[in-house]
């Protein structure tokens, strides 16, 4: 059984999608009560971020194995299930390079754009313009790759690279990124959001997190959402808007 430390954000959904079909249980990470800073969580995720997993059945009588960083978790799950990561070297590295592109580029840049565009207490045009331009550039790169393959990021096969990128493209509407300008991204996004595992993964534990702004006090709330340790995901959490993969309306 895999224990999945989860909150409903793009980085959480990547792993939720990949876990579909595997035996797992969810341990919710409530940012509003500081679960990510608790010592027992820091033992498995020293960067105080979700997602993280513990595989209690790591195989061959091995001790439970924990993994943090969503990209590493996706590779771990793909190796375990022998799905979504091609075995041939070319396909494997085609997948891994686009996964790394998401982890180092699309996620952080779209995340920063979401932060400055949607949630920052003051609107800073320089920051908004910088991250918007970079996010748009990355959409263009994604579009060109999807045009080249005609199907998925790594070719004809759906892989963990697609799972990693999809939840970030879900943010396009809230971030007013004109997806119409990226027809291959739109085609790919439309196909992926109809996949049952994607629908289930991106809807995981909606009810559990429905009321997630219940901070003990306004002071606690402000301390958590203060600039010093504020991530855009946590602000999305705070905003508690409905998450709906079917219309691409989601925050990040
Ligand atoms: N690179 C990390 C990023 C994880 C991350 O930023 N998680 C956010 C939610 S999307 C988080 O746990 N934030 C908690 C906080 O801001 O204290 C990954 O991909 O796993």
């Amino acid at each position: 059984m895999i224990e999945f430390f989860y909150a409903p954000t793009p980085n959480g959904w990547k792993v939720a999608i990949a876990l579909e079909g595997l035996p797992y249980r969810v341990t919710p990470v409530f940012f509003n009560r500081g679960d990510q800073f608790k010592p027992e969580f820091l033992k498995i995720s020293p960067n105080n971020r979700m997602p993280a997993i513990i595989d209690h059945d790591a195989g061959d009588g091995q001790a439970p194995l924990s993994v943090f960083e969503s990209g590493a978790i996706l590779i771990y799950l793909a190796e375990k299930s022998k799905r979504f990561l091609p075995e041939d070297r070319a396909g494997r590295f085609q997948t891994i390079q686009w996964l790394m592109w998401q982890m180092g580029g699309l996620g952080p840049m779209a995340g920063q754009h979401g932060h400055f565009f949607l949630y920052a207490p003051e609107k800073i045009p320089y920051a908004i313009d910088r991250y918007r331009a970079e996010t748009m550039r990355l959409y263009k790169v994604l579009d060109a790759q999807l045009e080249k393959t005609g199907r998925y990021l790594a070719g004809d096969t759906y892989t963990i690279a697609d799972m990693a990128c999809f939840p970030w493209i879900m943010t396009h509407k809230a971030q007013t990124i004109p997806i119409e300008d990226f027809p291959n991204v739109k085609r790919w996004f439309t196909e992926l959001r109809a996949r049952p595992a994607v629908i289930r993964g991106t809807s995981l534990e909606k009810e559990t997190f429905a009321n997630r702004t219940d901070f003990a006090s306004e002071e606690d709330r402000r301390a958590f959402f203060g600039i010093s340790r504020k991530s855009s995901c946590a602000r999305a959490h705070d905003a508690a808007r409905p998450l709906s993969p079917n219309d691409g309306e989601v925050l990040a």
Side-chain angles (χ1 to χ4, degrees), residues 5 10 14 34 57-58 76 87 151 153 166 168 191 194 223 236 244:
F5 295 84
K14 293 177 202 172
D57 183 19
Y76 181 84
E87 282 182 10
R151 196 83 201 266
L153 266 164
F166 175 82
W168 283 101
E191 183 193 324
S244 166

Side-chain angles (χ1 to χ4, degrees), residues 227-243:
I227 294 296
S228 57
R229 61 180 199 196
K230 181 73 219 72
S231 77
S232 59
C233 290
R235 269 186 199 277
H237 223 246
D238 188 36
R241 293 207 205 149
L243 310 170

Side-chain angles (χ1 to χ4, degrees), residues 57 73 77 87-88 95 98 101 104 111 116 130 133 144 192 200-201 219 239 250:
D57 183 19
I73 298 169
L77 295 177
E87 282 182 10
D88 66 288
T95 304
W98 283 102
W101 175 85
F116 286 107
R130 173 180 163 81
L192 260 61
R200 281 197 300 273
E219 197 175 299
V250 72

Side-chain angles (χ1 to χ4, degrees), residues 16 20-21 195-205:
E20 281 295 315
R195 292 179 78 98
V198 170
I199 294 170
R200 281 197 300 273
T202 52
S203 310
L204 185 65
E205 301 277 342

